[in-house]
Amino acid sequence: MTNLLERFVKDESGATAIEYALIAAVMAVLLLAVFNLIETPMNDAFQTIADQLDNAGGAATIGD
């Protein structure tokens, strides 16, 4: 019984999975923060491009 308890205490196989989960969680939080920071500038850039395309094409829409 003591041998079984010693092996259980020394077993580190689950530690790697926990480390990977923590790394994935930190990456997810960082990605969400970055996406929130660039959301408005990206929307503005795409809107500018859309406006320029509308002006260049005579405001034609798909399906006309």
Side-chain angles (χ1 to χ4, degrees):
M1 182 70 178
T2 305
N3 189 17
L4 180 64
L5 184 60
E6 286 177 14
R7 283 189 304 167
F8 178 75
V9 170
K10 291 180 182 179
D11 186 15
E12 296 181 6
S13 61
T16 302
I18 293 171
E19 291 168 358
Y20 283 132
L22 288 172
I23 291 170
V26 168
M27 289 177 63
V29 169
L30 290 175
L31 285 173
L32 287 173
V34 168
F35 289 155
N36 283 332
L37 287 175
I38 66 171
E39 180 181 9
T40 301
M42 290 298 291
N43 285 338
D44 292 344
F46 284 124
Q47 189 60 49
T48 300
I49 293 169
D51 292 343
Q52 290 178 355
L53 289 173
D54 282 344
N55 292 336
T61 59
I62 295 175
D64 283 346

